[in-house]
Amino acid sequence: MHWINDPNGVMYYKGVYHLFYQYNPKGAVWGNIVWAHAVSTDLVNWVMLQPAIYPTAPFDVNGCWSGSATVLPDGTPAIMYTGIDGDGRQVQNVAYPKDLSDPYLREWVKPDYNPVIAPGPGINATAFRDPTTAWRGPDGLWRLVVGTKDNHRGIAVLYRSRDFRRWVPVRRPLHHGDTGMWECPDFYPVTSHGVLGDVKHVLKVSLDLTRFEYYTFGAYDHATETYVPDAALADGNDGLRYDYGNFYASKTFLDPAKHRRILWGWANESDSTADDVRKGWAGVQAIPRKIWLAANSKQLMQWPVAEVESLRGNHVNITDRLIKGGDYFEVLGLTTPAQADVEVSFAAMDLDKAEPFDPAWRGADAQTVCAARGADVKGGVGPFGLWVLASDELKERTAVFFRVFKDGDDGKHVVLMCNDPSRSSYADHLYKPSFAGFIDVDIVKAGGKIPLRTLIDHSMVESFGGHGRISILSRVYPTKAVGDKARLYVFNHGESDIKVTHLNAYDMRMPAVRVNEGTEKRFLNLMAFERLHPSAGNAVTAYVIFMDNMISSAKDVALLRSKMIIESGLGSDEEVAKLLNNTLNKGGVMSPSSRLHDVQRQVNAHCRKRWNRWRANFIQTYLRNPWVFISLVATIILLVATLLQTFYTVAPFYKLIS
C-alpha cells in the first residue's frame, strides 16, 4: 500500500466514482509522488487501477502534487494539478482522458502546452499549489483558485480563462488570512439540504503550519470577483472546521447521481515513521461524507454517506438503560467491536449539576479544555459516552464523550465533545492528542438529549455529534484491544445520571478494496456487469468479496463468475445474495478450497431447486389438466406433420439441382 495522502480529482463519470490521491509507489514515507487512482460504483467497494498521473515531462519531472477535477460542458473531465518542474517551481498543469468512452478513465494525456499557470511576479514559486475545481460564471469565463503565501499571510489567488488553456490572475486575491501557507483550497456553493435560494459559497483552506483546516462561508460576487464571509464567522485559526481531529487536505465534489456534495479527507498516521516502514503503509482516506448547510445557516453539517450502511451486519439494540454516576456497561453481541458502527442517543437527567465553565477557558480552544477535563476527570454532567477499542481489563481504551458546562455569564449550557486517546495503547512513540470541539446545540431545549455516531475501523475512530454538527477523527493503535479481543463500553463519570435512550450497534463487514493488478480487469468486468444489471448488485458484490479473499485459481474464478451471471438470471437477487451470505458468514475455519466447494455445492443445489420448481410448475400446468394436455399433444403432432411435409416438398428439388 505504501504512503498515501491528499485526496485529489474526486468526481463522478459515466456511472463510476473516481478517487485520485497522492501516492508514493516506492515506500511508506512521503516522496516520489504520483496520482493513484481508484474507481467504485457505490463509494464503498473499490478497484485500485494503475496510477493515472505521474512525472513524464519537464513541467512535472519532480512530482505530481495535488489538484482537482472539472467536468466540462461537453462532458469531458479535466484534471488541474500542481507539477514540480526541473527548477523546483510549483506550476499548474492540465490533463485529459485519452479515451472518453472508457468509464474508468485509465489513461490520461498531458498537452505539450503545459504548464497552463506558472508563478508570475510577486508569487512564491515554492508555495504555489493545489488548484481547485473550476467553475464558469455568468460571463462565460472559467475561474479557479490556487493556494499560496506571502511570508505569514495565506492567500487564495483567483485565476480566469476563456478556453481552459490560457489563465490570467485576477487583480485582487479572492481571500487571505494571517495563518501561514494555504494549502488545498476548496471553493464551492452550498445550500441547506437542497433548499433553493439560500445559496452561500464556502471557502476552505488547509493550514500548513498547524495541519488543521478551517472554513468560512458567505457571499461571492462574480462581477466584482469578491468573496465576503458572513460577519458572524471567525476567520482564521479559530474558524469553523470540517473535523476537529486528524483530518486534512480535504476535497469535495458534487455527485450528480444523487444530488449531494461529498467530502473526502486524509488522516495521517499517529505512530512513528519506523512503525510505518515496518508495516509497509501510511495514511488513510476517511469515510466519504455528505455535506450541507445547516438549517440555521450557522455552520456546515456532515454525515457518512448512506452507502456505508450497506456494510452493516449483526445488530445489537439497547433502549432506556440508566447509567448512574461512576457506572459503565459492556455492549455485548457484536462479533468484533474493532470494526463497528455505533449510533447512540444520551439524555442527561439533571442538567443543574453541570459544572461551571471556567472563565480562563474563554480564549482557549476546545482541545485545551478537553486536555484539562479529560475522560478520567469526574464532572457534574459528564464525561459520558463510549469506550471504544477497549481491552478486557480496560487498561487500553479510547474515550469518545460529552461534557456539559454551565456558562456563568448567561446561564446557557456549553456542550463539549472529545476524543481522548490518552489510554488507547501500551505502545511507545505514539502521538496521542485529545481532539475536541464545542457543539452548537441548546441541550435544554433538546430535553437533555444529545446523539452520537461512531465508526470504528481498527486504528480509525470517526465520531459525529449532534446529528452531524461536529465530527472528530482519531488514529489509535491498541496492542491488546485488537480484532476479536476489542470491547465496546458505555460509561458515565459524572454526578448526573445518564440514560441511553437508544443504542444501535452493528458489525461492519470488510469492503472490497482490490489492489492486485491481475484482478483489475476481472473486477472492472464485474463492475460493468453490475452497471448493466443493477438488480444483480448484491450478488455481484458477494462474489467479488468471496473470489478475491478465498480463491487463487483463475479457473475457479472464471467458474464462479460464470455461475454468478447464470444465477443472476435464474434466481432473484435476494435469493442469490442470501445463498452466498449463508456461506460467507459461516463460523469456523475453512480452507479456500473447502469454501469454494461449499459455494459450488450450494449454487448447484440452488440451480436444482430452480429446475425442480420449473418442472413442477410445468407438470401442474400442462400435464395434470387433460384439456391442456390434449391441446399440447395436438400441437406437437401438427408441428411434426408440418416439418415432414416441408421435408418431402423440398427434398426432390434439392436432389434435382444437385
Side-chain angles (χ1 to χ4, degrees), residues 259-470:
H259 309 289
R260 59 186 174 176
R261 182 164 290 275
I262 295 176
L263 168 68
W264 285 91
W266 163 60
N268 199 359
E269 300 301 308
S270 295
D271 56 2
S272 66
T273 301
D275 290 329
D276 298 339
V277 172
R278 183 169 56 253
K279 70 189 181 192
W281 62 273
V284 293
Q285 303 297 339
I287 288 173
R289 309 169 181 181
K290 178 183 175 181
I291 189 167
W292 68 96
L293 183 65
N296 62 8
S297 297
K298 290 184 177 181
Q299 65 172 99
L300 296 178
M301 308 283 285
Q302 54 189 300
W303 199 249
V305 294
E307 290 88 337
V308 171
E309 296 173 15
S310 67
L311 298 174
R312 286 176 172 178
N314 182 45
H315 175 215
V316 174
N317 174 256
I318 297 171
T319 57
D320 293 331
R321 180 157 180 176
L322 192 70
I323 321 172
K324 293 195 172 292
D327 286 352
Y328 61 88
F329 67 87
E330 183 177 1
V331 178
L332 300 171
L334 295 178
T335 303
T336 169
Q339 195 165 300
D341 185 355
V342 185
E343 291 192 77
V344 56
S345 181
F346 299 101
M349 306 307 291
D350 190 355
L351 290 174
D352 289 338
K353 291 183 177 178
E355 59 195 294
F357 190 78
D358 190 335
W361 296 335
R362 297 199 186 285
D365 61 23
Q367 190 169 348
T368 301
V369 180
C370 185
R373 290 290 188 273
D376 295 330
V377 179
K378 186 175 181 178
V381 180
F384 59 87
L386 302 176
W387 286 328
V388 304
L389 296 173
S391 58
D392 286 330
E393 74 287 1
L394 290 174
K395 293 292 181 65
E396 283 188 340
R397 65 187 191 226
T398 296
V400 182
F401 68 90
F402 300 105
R403 186 187 289 268
V404 181
F405 300 94
K406 184 179 293 184
D407 193 328
D409 285 352
D410 55 16
K412 291 185 177 180
H413 291 84
V414 177
V415 180
L416 177 74
M417 177 175 158
C418 298
N419 275 22
D420 182 358
S422 58
R423 300 181 63 178
S424 61
S425 178
Y426 283 113
D428 297 325
H429 312 298
L430 298 180
Y431 177 54
K432 298 189 288 186
S434 293
F435 293 125
F438 295 112
I439 308 180
D440 180 25
V441 61
D442 187 336
I443 195 168
V444 175
K445 188 175 180 179
K449 295 181 180 179
I450 187 163
L452 171 69
R453 182 178 183 186
T454 295
L455 293 162
I456 307 156
D457 188 7
H458 301 282
S459 71
M460 291 268 288
V461 180
E462 294 188 62
S463 299
F464 301 83
H467 298 294
R469 288 180 174 84
I470 185 173

Side-chain angles (χ1 to χ4, degrees), residues 497-571:
D497 294 345
I498 300 295
K499 178 183 282 189
V500 176
T501 58
H502 67 263
L503 181 150
N504 291 289
Y506 304 86
D507 284 314
M508 295 293 278
R509 291 184 290 269
M510 289 287 292
V513 179
R514 308 303 167 208
V515 297
N516 184 312
E517 182 178 355
T519 64
E520 176 183 315
K521 184 175 180 181
R522 173 163 54 88
F523 284 104
L524 291 178
N525 288 338
L526 288 169
M527 288 172 62
F529 179 81
E530 184 174 338
R531 288 172 60 231
L532 292 173
H533 304 281
S535 64
N538 290 339
V540 170
T541 300
Y543 269 109
V544 166
I545 294 171
F546 180 84
M547 284 191 293
D548 206 57
N549 285 342
M550 295 297 171
I551 301 173
S552 58
S553 164
K555 179 180 178 182
D556 291 340
V557 167
L559 172 64
L560 278 182
R561 184 172 180 273
S562 299
K563 285 183 179 294
M564 175 202 70
I565 296 173
I566 293 170
E567 279 289 13
S568 65
L570 284 177

